[in-house]
DNA sequence: AGTGATTTACGACAGTGGTT
DNA sequence: AACCACTGTCGTAAATCACT
């Protein structure tokens, strides 16, 4: 299914005028490159105002990430822009996306337990990392006895920007839920929201023999208490990624099968901190000669050439009739295409045979797999 | 998948300073 | 001293962990 073009996105850019125009009590002056937002209010009959200048045409993918982060970790009261998280890399994403809008004034605070067990080195190191990644100074550090990880808050003290982001997020989410946005943009939004409050759990079947541990499911969990947002997110996952989320209170959980996991890796929507779990899942399947292994074998031996079931059977080391079933399943899932053709070099057997070829999708997944580090021990759980 | 425990991140609140 | 916008600080609801 092809993504429908929308007036919101043109050549990968979003015109923020569309969003800014809808803001209550904000005057918008549209120029070629920038938008000048002015909000006026009265203090004892005297008019006062504040002005914010933002870029007008912004990269849709970067905005989508920003809005996903805003959805998950952003303050949503419309008084200012605030992002709270322990991971400096997320702040880096957040800050870089805001810079894309022409915002450069950030105010960052941190919280730390200062307990003896944690010591001061951890604080120093993380602050250093934060500065290195974001190029923003940390203004102050407060004591929070529970903050054994350093918690960072990035603020942009701008009401109008806060309102703009909230409005933009609603709009993007609603359009995505209706399937009106291109897949790659939605993927960025989803990445942003998963980075924040998505959680991926990998369950393994316990076994005596460590080498034969089996995957017992991969689950996606999003926590979202806003009913509308939760409904939209569920719809987005169903529509774009084929994942059915079930709600338990504010938690929305769905299982990710191997194929979906591969597609999600391919779409690059797995949050950084959960990527290794998904890769572990894929590697387990690889070791057990599941789909990833089969794709790699077929690609290694036939690349984008046509092959027969008999040839595949040699490569995969399985009986021909079993392979035929497997190939049919792969074709059904869009990893293979097949055609029937006349084919009787030596006059033996049926002259009409089915030949197969890996699809674009399969080749994409295969190159993804080969880009993963070959050293499997890297993917061992680290605890 | 369900549940209870832990702790983090969200949102509420308090403080500040400018203006009338 | 009342009002307002803006920003710093903190308590706890909710996000995540851990176990079955």
């Amino acid at each position: 299914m092809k993504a429908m073009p929308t007036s919101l996105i043109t050549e990968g850019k979003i015109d923020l005028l569309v969003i800014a125009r809808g803001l209550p009590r904000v005057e918008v002056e549209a120029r070629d490159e920038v938008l000048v937002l002015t909000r006026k209010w009265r203090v004892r009959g005297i008019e006062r105002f504040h002005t914010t200048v933002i870029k007008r045409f912004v990269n849709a993918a970067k905005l989508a990430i920003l809005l996903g982060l805003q959805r998950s970790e952003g303050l949503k009261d419309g008084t200012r822009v605030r992002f709270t998280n322990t991971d400096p890399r997320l702040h880096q994403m957040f800050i870089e996306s805001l810079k894309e809008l022409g915002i450069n004034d950030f105010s960052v605070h941190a919280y730390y337990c200062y307990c003896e067990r944690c010591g001061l080195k951890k604080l120093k190191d993380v602050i250093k990392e934060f500065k290195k990644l974001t190029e923003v100074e940390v203004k102050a550090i407060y004591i929070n006895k529970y903050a054994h990880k350093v918690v960072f808050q990035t603020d942009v003290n701008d009401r109008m920007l806060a309102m703009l982001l909230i409005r933009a997020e609603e709009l993007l989410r609603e359009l995505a839920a209706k399937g009106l946005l291109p897949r790659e943009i939605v993927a960025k939004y989803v990445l942003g929201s998963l980075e924040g409050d998505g959680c991926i759990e990998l369950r393994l079947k316990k076994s005596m023999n460590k080498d034969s541990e089996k995957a017992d499911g991969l689950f996606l969990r999003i926590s979202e208490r806003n009913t509308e947002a939760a409904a939209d997110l569920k719809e987005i996952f169903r529509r774009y990624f084929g994942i059915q989320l079930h709600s338990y209170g504010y938690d929305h959980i769905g299982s990710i099968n191997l194929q979906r996991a591969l597609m999600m890796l391919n779409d690059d929507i797995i949050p950084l901190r959960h990527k290794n779990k998904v890769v572990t899942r894929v590697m387990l399947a690889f070791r057990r000669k599941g789909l990833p292994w089969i794709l790699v074998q077929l690609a290694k031996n036939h690349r984008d050439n046509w092959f027969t079931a008999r040839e595949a059977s040699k490569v995969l080391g399985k009986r021909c009739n079993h392979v035929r079933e497997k190939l049919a399943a792969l074709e059904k899932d869009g990893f293979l295409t097949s055609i029937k053709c006349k084919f009787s070099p030596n006059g033996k057997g049926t002259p009409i045979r089915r030949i197969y070829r890996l699809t674009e999708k399969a080749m994409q997944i295969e190159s993804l797999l080969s880009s993963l580090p070959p050293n499997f021990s890297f993917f061992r759980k680290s605890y």
Side-chain angles (χ1 to χ4, degrees):
Chain A
M1 190 167 67
K2 237 187 162 174
M4 274 186 240
T6 56
S7 55
L8 189 67
I9 300 173
T10 346
E11 292 169 20
K13 301 268 181 179
I14 290 183
D15 184 358
L16 287 178
L17 177 62
V18 179
I19 293 150
R21 262 201 303 240
L23 296 178
R25 280 172 291 161
V26 173
E27 287 173 28
V28 184
E29 184 196 334
R31 300 194 188 154
D32 290 346
E33 300 283 322
V34 296
L35 296 177
V36 181
L37 308 179
T38 306
R39 195 168 58 96
K40 294 179 178 171
W41 64 93
R42 282 178 173 275
V43 180
R44 294 212 161 233
I46 302 298
E47 193 163 80
R48 303 187 48 73
F49 69 95
H50 183 257
T51 298
T52 301
V53 180
I54 55 168
K55 247 172 87 177
R56 178 171 170 183
F57 298 98
V58 299
N59 181 298
K62 285 193 178 172
L63 184 68
I65 287 198
L66 175 66
L67 297 179
L69 290 169
Q70 158 72 19
R71 171 78 254 150
S72 58
E73 306 286 28
L75 181 65
K76 290 171 271 291
D77 68 358
T79 58
R80 68 177 131 183
V81 179
R82 168 174 281 179
F83 184 78
T84 313
N85 199 282
T86 56
D87 191 344
R89 290 174 302 181
L90 294 195
H91 286 268
Q92 181 188 15
M93 286 167 73
F94 193 73
I95 286 170
E96 279 179 3
S97 313
L98 278 168
K99 282 184 177 167
E100 178 73 13
L101 303 193
I103 306 298
N104 288 297
D105 193 7
F106 302 100
S107 161
V108 176
H109 313 107
Y111 303 86
Y112 191 55
C113 57
Y114 286 101
C115 71
E116 285 191 27
R117 206 181 151 75
C118 291
L120 290 176
K121 187 174 186 308
K122 193 157 98 180
L123 176 66
K124 269 192 181 170
D125 289 350
V126 183
I127 297 263
K128 203 174 156 194
E129 193 196 347
F130 188 96
K131 282 181 189 169
K132 191 178 153 200
L133 290 175
T134 63
E135 296 173 352
V136 176
E137 290 289 316
V138 178
K139 273 193 182 168
I141 303 165
Y142 304 112
I143 300 170
N144 178 333
K145 65 175 173 175
Y146 298 116
H148 297 298
K149 277 186 181 178
V150 181
V151 181
F152 293 98
Q153 281 189 336
T154 296
D155 284 3
V156 178
N157 293 308
D158 190 317
R159 247 195 153 78
M160 281 182 294
L161 185 67
M163 286 156 66
L164 183 87
L165 290 189
I166 290 168
R167 180 71 200 112
E169 191 274 330
E170 281 170 7
L171 192 64
L172 189 97
R173 174 161 45 78
E174 281 162 19
L175 288 174
K178 288 178 187 159
L180 295 174
L181 295 178
R183 183 185 176 80
E184 61 276 15
I185 301 298
V186 177
K188 294 292 178 193
Y189 173 75
V190 167
L191 172 64
S193 68
L194 289 183
E195 286 286 9
D197 54 23
C199 184
I200 287 172
E201 290 186 33
L202 174 63
R203 287 182 223 290
L204 298 168
K205 268 216 170 82
K206 299 254 162 73
S207 74
M208 301 300 113
N209 183 351
K210 277 172 194 163
D211 290 336
S212 72
E213 60 186 359
K214 290 178 178 176
D216 192 24
L218 187 65
F219 297 88
L220 172 70
R221 180 193 293 242
I222 325 178
S223 303
E224 176 58 71
R225 62 201 221 92
N226 180 308
T227 320
E228 276 178 33
D232 287 342
L233 283 169
K234 281 169 80 170
E235 180 60 14
I236 289 168
F237 273 101
R238 189 194 63 75
R239 192 188 280 276
Y240 286 89
F241 304 101
I243 295 171
Q244 193 72 51
L245 295 173
H246 304 276
S247 301
Y248 304 93
Y250 297 138
D251 279 354
H252 313 281
I253 303 172
S255 73
I256 311 170
N257 64 27
L258 183 61
Q259 264 197 51
R260 300 263 148 68
L262 286 167
M263 294 314 286
M264 286 172 81
L265 276 177
N266 201 37
D267 284 332
D268 199 21
I269 63 168
I270 310 283
L272 288 166
R273 67 190 187 287
H274 295 300
K275 221 165 183 166
N276 61 336
K277 295 179 195 171
V278 181
V279 173
T280 303
R281 170 75 185 94
V282 171
M283 284 307 164
L284 284 171
F286 189 91
R287 279 192 224 163
R288 295 177 52 235
K289 303 200 172 181
L291 175 67
W293 183 83
I294 292 172
L295 287 179
V296 168
Q297 296 307 312
L298 291 176
K300 199 159 74 183
N301 290 280
H302 300 292
R303 299 187 183 229
D304 46 0
N305 298 319
W306 295 96
F307 56 89
T308 63
R310 171 166 285 278
E311 285 164 340
S313 152
K314 275 183 204 154
V315 171
L316 301 178
K318 289 183 185 179
R319 293 278 298 278
C320 206
N321 51 342
H322 289 151
V323 168
R324 238 180 267 283
E325 267 177 34
K326 195 81 213 171
L327 294 180
L330 289 175
E331 181 171 10
K332 188 160 155 271
D333 293 333
F335 293 106
L336 291 175
T337 49
S338 76
I339 49 168
K340 278 183 174 178
C341 67
K342 275 195 179 169
F343 186 99
S344 67
N346 49 16
K348 285 181 185 170
T350 167
I352 306 287
R353 298 198 186 168
R354 187 170 287 277
I355 55 175
Y356 301 85
R357 196 177 66 176
L358 291 169
T359 59
E360 185 57 33
K361 176 177 165 184
M363 295 305 281
Q364 268 182 29
I365 300 288
E366 198 276 329
S367 73
L368 171 83
L369 288 167
S370 56
S371 75
L372 300 175
N375 176 10
F376 289 0
S377 66
F378 175 84
F379 300 109
R380 287 265 166 72
K381 296 177 295 164
S382 49
Y383 49 80

